[in-house]
Amino acid sequence: MSTTPQRVLIIGAGFAGLECALKLANDHRFDVTLVNKTNHHLFQPLLYQVATASLSAPDVARSVRAVLAEADNVKVLQDSIESIDTDAQIATGKSDRRYPYDRLVVAAGARTGYFGNSHWAEHTIGLKTLDDAYKLRRKVLSNLEKAELCDNHAQRQRNLTIAIVGGGPTGVELSGAFIELIQRSMSRDFRSLNTENLRVILIEAAPALLPPYGAHHQKYTEDRLRKLGVEVMTNTRVKDVQDKKLILEDGVIEAGTIVWAAGIEAAPITRQLPVETDRAGKITPNLDLSLPGHPEIFVAGDLVKMKDAEDKVVPGVAPAASQMGKHIAKLLKQEAAADFNVPMSERYDLRPKFTYWDKGNMAIIGRSAAVVDAGKMQLQGFIAWCAWLFIHVLFLIGFRSKISVLIQWAWAYINDKPGARVFAGELDIKVKPEVQEPELSPAER
């Protein structure tokens, strides 16, 4: 066995990358460098609550350096990897810093995908980063201020309309949260604005919401959202997106806020790897999560599209990413401990294959209701909401985050009034006068 530590470069501090680094922490057979484009790990499942003014950034994000502070063999750097030379085994960052490696773990995550229509991003807001969440929060809250300021009916109604494209968990949770935030929690705060005129429209191309879930959960979710006041449109495809306007196959929706939650695509760095990617830039690795032809390179998290060793589809969710990170770390440790001389190119058959433990799916639907689809555990309503709350708090990084989130959720539930409803900047608005019909003369009348 070699006495020189293996240089392990991990790209991305999401669930996969961070979990891998934690499992390799203080194992001095490895010299680990974790490179992330931001200085924090983000708990994306709760990001929508930052966007809807229920939680603040410190509740869903934590400094990567703080998480790995006790790992003396792990170096954390904020940089964005832009190129990978797989022959020389060197990655290069936006900073022009070069990162040599013996083992590479690419877990750079995903970004909002527009199915080849990247120009739509100009007119929509995704929800993948803290910047996205604060941008969405500002958009919705500032549109409410604009609506109260103006008397023009068309302009006011457009500012009171939120259109969400994509009926998966993100779209469902956002639509329920926004309708309750404004119609229930904030209606008393706007004196000259009837927030009952608020429109939250959820658009899904498939025949039902939450496509991976069972039919009974899909029906419950749609019925619950409609009862809250959300306008649900299934079997509806978006043809084009323009400024404050959605062009559908059979109509047009004018909305001051357009949220895109319909698709994701892998981080651009996957295009730098010597393998084929699908249209969304995702990679199908070997069953040990290594790249075909490159046993020294591993991929994990949202940029992976695969079936596991038991032929189960691995979804792009946090538990799957965490399990991938643990698997790679375990594999690296086993190989570091093995007392054999097998070339890298022949190690695939000796490696453990990744098997995904499916913990099920869950989505919250407004206040005090959710659905849980986890094998024999099929829950709906308040008990499902309690299960959702417990599991999400369990996955939060850091004791402070868990306590803070629990306190804020409890206060919001009892008081029915979330906090953190502020945004920076002045309003950019010109109030348009109503177009008055010319008064008719007595003869014309």
Side-chain angles (χ1 to χ4, degrees), residues 127-316:
L127 194 58
K128 289 295 177 186
T129 66
L130 277 177
D131 286 342
D132 291 338
Y134 279 117
K135 184 178 179 182
L136 180 53
R137 177 194 291 193
R138 185 187 190 286
K139 188 72 169 177
V140 172
L141 295 180
S142 65
N143 278 350
L144 283 175
E145 298 291 347
K146 292 176 184 180
E148 187 162 37
L149 187 63
C150 72
D151 295 320
N152 181 285
H153 174 75
Q155 189 178 9
R156 186 190 317 116
Q157 188 57 62
R158 184 166 55 248
N159 286 326
L160 286 173
T161 301
I162 302 171
I164 302 170
V165 183
T170 299
V172 166
E173 291 172 345
L174 270 176
S175 59
F178 272 133
I179 199 84
E180 291 199 325
L181 169 71
I182 299 171
Q183 287 193 348
R184 291 181 55 180
S185 302
M186 296 178 65
S187 59
R188 52 186 172 267
D189 295 342
F190 290 85
R191 305 299 172 83
S192 59
L193 184 65
N194 184 0
T195 53
E196 291 184 359
N197 292 329
L198 172 85
R199 296 181 68 196
V200 175
I201 307 169
L202 181 58
I203 302 165
E204 169 57 41
L209 302 177
L210 300 177
Y213 292 60
H216 58 301
H217 287 320
Q218 293 173 340
K219 184 179 186 305
Y220 175 84
T221 300
E222 182 170 339
D223 291 346
R224 170 76 180 177
L225 287 176
R226 290 188 186 279
K227 184 176 180 181
L228 291 174
V230 177
E231 300 176 36
V232 179
M233 301 174 66
T234 54
N235 280 316
T236 304
R237 294 188 178 276
V238 175
K239 294 178 61 179
D240 193 17
V241 182
Q242 301 174 9
D243 183 33
K244 299 182 178 63
K245 189 180 296 185
L246 282 173
I247 311 299
L248 309 178
E249 291 179 335
D250 56 354
V252 176
I253 295 175
E254 292 195 9
T257 304
I258 301 175
V259 184
W260 192 265
I264 63 172
E265 61 183 31
I269 194 62
T270 60
R271 312 286 186 185
Q272 296 285 325
L273 298 173
V275 291
E276 291 186 3
T277 62
D278 67 5
R279 185 180 178 185
K282 293 190 175 186
I283 294 171
T284 299
N286 294 320
L287 291 178
D288 63 349
L289 301 180
S290 69
L291 285 190
H294 287 271
E296 77 283 1
I297 301 176
F298 301 87
V299 291
D302 287 342
L303 52 77
V304 169
K305 180 181 181 181
M306 69 176 294
K307 292 184 178 181
D308 70 359
E310 297 179 353
D311 204 36
K312 300 192 300 287
V313 174
V314 181

Side-chain angles (χ1 to χ4, degrees), residues 314-357:
V314 181
V317 294
S322 294
Q323 291 174 40
M324 288 181 187
K326 291 177 182 178
H327 175 87
I328 295 170
K330 180 180 178 181
L331 185 156
L332 292 178
K333 286 186 171 187
Q334 287 180 352
E335 290 195 343
D339 189 12
F340 62 86
N341 186 21
V342 179
M344 283 291 295
S345 60
E346 299 177 13
R347 291 190 183 184
Y348 174 71
D349 291 336
L350 302 174
R351 288 175 166 178
K353 306 303 185 283
F354 176 68
T355 300
Y356 171 57
W357 177 26

